Amino acid sequence: MLTIKNLHASINGKEILKGLNLEVKAGEVHAIMGPNGAGKSTLASVLAGKEDYEITEGSVTFDGKDLLDLETEDRAREGLFLAFQYPVEIPGVSNVNFLRTAINEIREYRGEEAISAKDFMALVREKSALVELDSKLATRSVNEGFSGGEKKRNEIFQMAMLEPKLAILDETDSGLDIDALRIVANGVNKLKSPKNATVVITHYQRLLDYIVPDVVHVLYDGKIVKSGPKELALELEEKGYDWIKSEVEAG
Amino acid sequence: MSTLLSVNKLETFRSHLNKTKIGFSNGILENAESFLNQTDFPTTKVEDWKYTRLNKISGIQPSNDTTLDTDVILDYDLGKETFKFIFQNGVLCSSSDANLPEGLTILPLEDCTQEQLASIPYQDNNELFVALNTFYCSSGLYIEVKKNTVVNKTIHIHHIVSGENMVNHVKHFINCGTSSNCNIILTFISGEAKNCMSNVLTNVVVGENAKLNIDKLQLENDGNYGVFNELTEIYANANFTLNTITLGGTLIRNNVHAEIKGQNVECNLNGAYLLKGSAHVDNHTLIEHQVPNCNSNELYKGVMDDKSTGVFNGKVIVHKDAQKTNAFQSNANVLLSKDATINTKPELEIYADDVKCSHGSTTGQLDENAIFYLRARGVSEASARQLLVQAFIEDVLEKIEDENVVNCIHNELSERLGWSFN
Ligand SMILES: Nc1ncnc2c1ncn2[C@@H]1O[C@H](COP(=O)(O)OP(=O)(O)O)[C@@H](O)[C@H]1O
Ligand SMILES: [Mg+2]
């Protein structure tokens, strides 16, 4: 579904991604772990199409399409979703209002009919229940005045509304208490299907007790330096990233 | 040297205009004329006109062709029944034929008695466009809402300009009696007109305990100009709201002057201006608190795209005796392009000591991170920008209680800015 080959990306002349490779197939859950500043969020932003980054080398194909060639909105319309590490607050723009615009523009892109107001509201009710997001929050301004946990739940709510093929969750678990974590993980697990895939970027092994990955990758200094089964996460937690560092430096 | 050689542009401009036939008193007309005789169009050196050059207006050679273009669509449909009056190039060409209710008088100025004309306040013609408006006034409405009268249908006054180089001077007088209640909508369009200029002055008296709401939709097109004065006196316990929505015009100047003359008044001035191309819109407001215990709220918001320019100068004066005044003023702007400009100057002059007043102005751009966030959800860039601009302007639009007016604004926004509403 997603194939990243030798991806190099820089910002303000500083190279952050330095030849990253990753292959994600439908039905899979991948975890990307790595120390602060390794480039995890950069990878997520580059995939979502943030224009601040310059891609200097490499390719990304998503469902057979050249992802890097698409506008941000078209990437979303093709089925890519990014749950942001730091979701922005957008005063005055209601969650459901913009989601209806999003869904209808996505449908138009795919040559489908617009969603009826009734079906849309039913969808809002169903999906907000899934992530236990207070329906009042669903209608409020995007993330405005939300607690950290509410913002993360709102990301998963939006993901549930949009039903992406590939979801990238950037540290959706950080800052969540165990209840919120369970709710978020539950939401993700319920949306899992053989047709879609999830990439969870995380700092902590804890999340992976709830969202069980097929593969764990270690991103370090702009590259995936190690991949392995879910047990790798435990090993990382135990030994810390210094272990990876010395392994990488040893070559 | 150069002053000696320069021609008086006002003189040239005036030489093409016809003196009013309305029966204003000689004193008033003489006043206006003698003022006009010794003045000229102000330059940008004059503080009040610092950011608004009048050369587009002073450069018009007003046409004296009085035939009205009959191909122009005169109507403007608000989608509801109103008492409707239509002015084309300053000529009243359609009047609501519905029977006006008891207690409501609406007459063209031409048909007013001397006494009625004499009841119009603000005949102090020491301001250029006020004096021009008086001296060259072609028509206007005299609206009198008698004591205790609740006008249950909106009064809609529609103004159209057509043709080229047409200059019109329209003067309205809205007099709301004690405990009366009235809603008025003023609409202005210029359609296919070119190089036309409207000078519309609305004198307003909001009597004791009366409630008056005016929604003003300025839907001018490129290449046309307008100077609008709303001069209001507000008496005790009255409630006055003026919402000014401006969506175009190469040069639009609004002068709003609200004099609060009785206690316990609430005065609301709201404005939204959404400009593109080379539109230039200047909102000058002045609220004078002359007595204690009154509230004024002023909220103006602007969005400027392309090379458009906005000017906001909002002055609130709290006079010495106006204790316990609450005056709130805010002006916020978003610039959508690097060539767009806003000049904003909120001014607060307080001569009383026990008051609550605040004012502020902000200018910014749309939040690029928010745009990216919305696009990452599948929303096009244009829609993302629309959502943010809409969110920004919403708190002004939501002050407009009349749904039909809001619908009209939405229609205009979809036509002018390509917005969609679902
Ligand atoms: N605008 C920027 N200019 C320069 N460097 C940046 C900018 N944004 C992020 N970086 C750098 O990119 C690196 C990777 O950051 P990030 O992708 O956020 O890491 P992670 O998500 O793995 O913690 C960090 O060293 C960070 O300092
Ligand atoms: Mg990060």
Side-chain angles (χ1 to χ4, degrees):
Chain A
M1 175 177 287
L2 179 75
T3 308
I4 304 176
K5 281 193 184 139
N6 190 32
L7 185 63
H8 290 253
S10 45
I11 186 159
N12 299 329
K14 182 178 163 196
E15 185 165 65
I16 312 288
L17 300 183
K18 303 173 179 174
L20 188 139
N21 296 293
L22 182 68
E23 167 94 45
V24 179
K25 295 200 175 70
E28 292 180 344
V29 175
H30 288 236
I32 296 179
M33 302 182 75
N36 269 330
K40 303 184 297 296
S41 293
T42 300
L43 173 64
S45 296
V46 165
L47 293 178
K50 192 146 172 110
E51 280 147 14
D52 305 351
Y53 297 92
E54 194 195 346
I55 316 292
T56 50
E57 230 185 303
S59 67
V60 181
T61 45
F62 177 55
D63 246 7
K65 290 206 169 67
D66 180 354
L67 189 76
L68 301 178
D69 220 29
L70 299 174
E71 297 288 340
T72 293
E73 51 269 43
D74 287 343
R75 298 179 193 201
R77 293 163 181 180
E78 291 288 341
L80 182 76
F81 181 89
L82 168 60
F84 288 85
Q85 182 174 6
Y86 305 109
V88 293
E89 298 193 5
I90 315 182
V93 175
S94 99
N95 248 324
V96 291
N97 210 359
F98 106 76
L99 278 171
R100 192 166 50 193
T101 305
I103 286 177
N104 282 333
E105 290 192 4
I106 290 169
R107 286 187 170 213
E108 196 185 334
Y109 180 85
R110 295 177 185 165
E112 297 164 8
E113 261 179 51
I115 191 166
S116 73
K118 187 164 151 268
D119 290 351
F120 179 77
M121 284 324 291
L123 196 65
V124 168
R125 273 193 297 277
E126 182 201 337
K127 302 301 186 182
S128 54
L130 185 73
V131 293
E132 299 176 36
L133 185 77
D134 190 335
S135 58
K136 276 196 221 84
L137 290 187
T139 55
R140 265 195 10 212
S141 288
V142 181
N143 297 323
E144 193 186 24
F146 286 25
S147 69
E150 285 167 346
K151 283 182 184 166
K152 297 300 173 83
R153 258 188 278 171
N154 192 21
E155 293 294 286
I156 303 305
F157 164 64
Q158 292 176 29
M159 169 178 135
M161 290 292 290
L162 300 174
E163 298 177 330
K165 277 189 247 171
L166 175 68
I168 301 165
L169 313 183
D170 189 0
E171 303 221 18
T172 302
D173 57 322
S174 32
L176 294 189
D177 63 36
I178 200 75
D179 285 335
L181 183 68
R182 200 179 308 120
I183 291 165
V184 164
N186 231 332
V188 174
N189 287 331
K190 281 195 189 138
L191 297 168
K192 217 180 120 170
S193 89
K195 281 193 198 138
N196 61 26
T198 313
V199 174
V200 289
I201 294 172
T202 181
H203 217 74
Y204 306 105
Q205 178 272 334
R206 186 182 68 162
L207 175 68
L208 306 180
D209 289 340
Y210 296 91
I211 302 174
V212 182
D214 298 294
V215 195
V216 175
H217 308 275
V218 182
L219 202 166
Y220 176 75
D221 195 22
K223 282 191 282 247
I224 303 278
V225 294
K226 199 175 178 68
S227 301
K230 64 176 188 289
E231 290 73 20
L232 176 59
L234 288 168
E235 204 176 347
L236 277 170
E237 184 103 330
E238 222 170 87
K239 297 187 183 166
Y241 289 111
D242 287 344
W243 160 60
I244 295 291
K245 238 183 250 181
S246 40
E247 215 175 71
V248 171
E249 274 151 24
Chain B
M1 276 269 295
S2 62
T3 46
L4 288 175
L5 293 172
S6 77
V7 278
N8 184 314
K9 286 186 179 164
L10 182 60
E11 215 174 285
T12 316
F13 182 82
R14 285 173 61 203
S15 69
H16 300 275
L17 299 174
N18 299 315
K19 184 179 168 182
T20 185
K21 295 191 180 73
I22 314 282
F24 298 120
S25 77
N26 287 336
I28 284 165
L29 292 175
E30 276 162 24
N31 258 341
E33 189 171 28
S34 67
F35 175 74
L36 291 172
N37 284 343
Q38 48 85 36
T39 192
D40 198 351
F41 283 102
T43 66
T44 51
K45 291 196 187 97
V46 176
E47 185 60 29
D48 250 7
W49 295 94
K50 191 169 172 185
Y51 299 109
T52 298
R53 287 184 161 297
L54 285 169
N55 55 344
K56 293 222 174 62
I57 290 175
S58 62
I60 302 175
Q61 275 213 13
S63 160
N64 42 23
D65 178 5
T66 51
T67 51
L68 294 176
D69 186 346
T70 49
D71 292 341
V72 173
I73 300 165
L74 289 180
D75 201 16
Y76 186 85
D77 192 5
L78 285 171
K80 66 169 184 180
E81 261 197 61
T82 57
F83 299 122
K84 194 186 292 190
F85 299 84
I86 301 173
F87 288 85
Q88 184 182 6
N89 293 346
V91 177
L92 178 63
C93 51
S94 162
S95 290
S96 188
D97 50 12
N99 288 331
L100 298 182
E102 183 86 18
L104 175 64
T105 306
I106 305 183
L107 289 172
L109 289 193
E110 306 84 294
D111 297 348
C112 283
T113 62
Q114 283 292 331
E115 197 186 342
Q116 284 168 327
L117 291 176
S119 68
I120 304 178
Y122 284 101
Q123 300 299 356
D124 167 20
N125 289 302
N126 279 326
E127 200 279 328
L128 173 63
F129 289 95
V130 176
L132 284 171
N133 182 275
T134 301
F135 199 75
Y136 298 104
C137 179
S138 57
S139 185
L141 293 181
Y142 173 93
I143 300 176
E144 188 181 352
V145 187
K146 298 232 164 57
K147 187 174 173 180
N148 295 333
T149 304
V150 175
V151 181
N152 54 8
K153 230 192 264 180
T154 303
I155 300 167
H156 176 195
I157 313 173
H158 182 48
H159 309 74
I160 301 158
V161 290
S162 61
E164 278 184 50
N165 306 317
M166 304 301 287
V167 172
N168 71 82
H169 295 89
V170 171
K171 189 191 286 291
H172 301 304
F173 177 42
I174 301 166
N175 189 358
C176 298
T178 302
S179 300
S180 66
N181 190 331
C182 185
N183 292 300
I184 294 181
I185 298 173
L186 305 172
T187 50
F188 301 89
I189 66 167
S190 49
E192 304 282 300
K194 282 194 192 75
N195 213 39
C196 290
M197 139 84 179
S198 297
N199 175 343
V200 180
L201 189 150
T202 308
N203 285 297
V204 180
V205 172
V206 192
E208 280 192 29
N209 203 37
K211 186 169 190 289
L212 173 65
N213 183 94
I214 301 179
D215 295 327
K216 184 176 152 200
L217 302 190
Q218 298 178 306
L219 312 171
E220 306 277 349
N221 287 342
D222 281 355
N224 294 288
Y225 328 110
V227 176
F228 303 85
N229 278 281
E230 282 86 32
L231 310 178
T232 307
E233 293 178 3
I234 312 163
Y235 291 89
N237 302 307
N239 185 312
F240 172 66
T241 300
L242 172 63
N243 299 313
T244 303
I245 310 297
T246 312
L247 302 181
T250 290
L251 195 172
I252 301 293
R253 165 69 170 243
N254 290 305
N255 288 319
V256 178
H257 184 180
E259 261 185 273
I260 300 176
K261 292 170 119 41
Q263 295 201 24
N264 200 29
V265 156
E266 177 160 330
C267 170
N268 305 304
L269 304 182
N270 304 302
Y273 37 104
L274 289 105
L275 313 177
K276 60 172 191 165
S278 53
H280 178 110
V281 172
D282 179 344
N283 280 297
H284 265 63
T285 67
L286 170 60
I287 300 178
E288 281 192 75
H289 284 267
Q290 298 176 344
V291 296
N293 298 314
C294 294
N295 298 324
S296 68
N297 299 294
E298 190 172 2
L299 177 66
Y300 273 73
K301 284 193 159 191
V303 180
M304 273 65 56
D305 201 353
D306 303 329
K307 290 182 182 159
S308 63
T309 307
V311 180
F312 176 80
N313 185 299
K315 194 171 194 173
V316 178
I317 304 178
V318 181
H319 290 268
K320 190 161 91 331
D321 295 331
Q323 302 296 357
K324 306 280 180 198
T325 289
N326 287 309
F328 164 82
Q329 186 198 69
S330 161
N331 172 235
N333 301 284
V334 168
L335 300 177
L336 296 180
S337 101
K338 62 174 174 30
D339 297 322
T341 328
I342 176 75
N343 292 294
T344 168
K345 188 172 172 198
E347 287 180 273
L348 201 48
E349 280 179 26
I350 305 176
Y351 303 101
D353 46 29
D354 184 14
V355 299
K356 275 201 203 116
C357 298
S358 72
H359 72 158
S361 76
T362 59
T363 299
Q365 274 104 42
L366 293 183
D367 178 354
E368 289 299 326
N369 286 324
I371 292 171
F372 179 69
Y373 185 93
L374 296 172
R375 291 176 67 198
R377 299 297 180 248
V379 175
S380 67
E381 180 162 3
S383 299
R385 288 181 182 277
Q386 181 195 325
L387 284 168
L388 295 178
V389 170
Q390 227 175 314
F392 173 76
I393 219 77
E394 185 57 31
D395 32 345
V396 176
L397 296 190
E398 74 189 11
K399 307 274 187 196
I400 299 171
E401 285 171 10
D402 189 329
E403 265 177 48
N404 294 82
V405 171
V406 174
N407 285 338
C408 287
I409 294 168
H410 284 179
N411 287 340
E412 288 292 330
L413 289 171
S414 55
E415 269 177 38
R416 287 164 187 259
L417 305 177
W419 284 14
S420 61
F421 294 88
N422 54 20

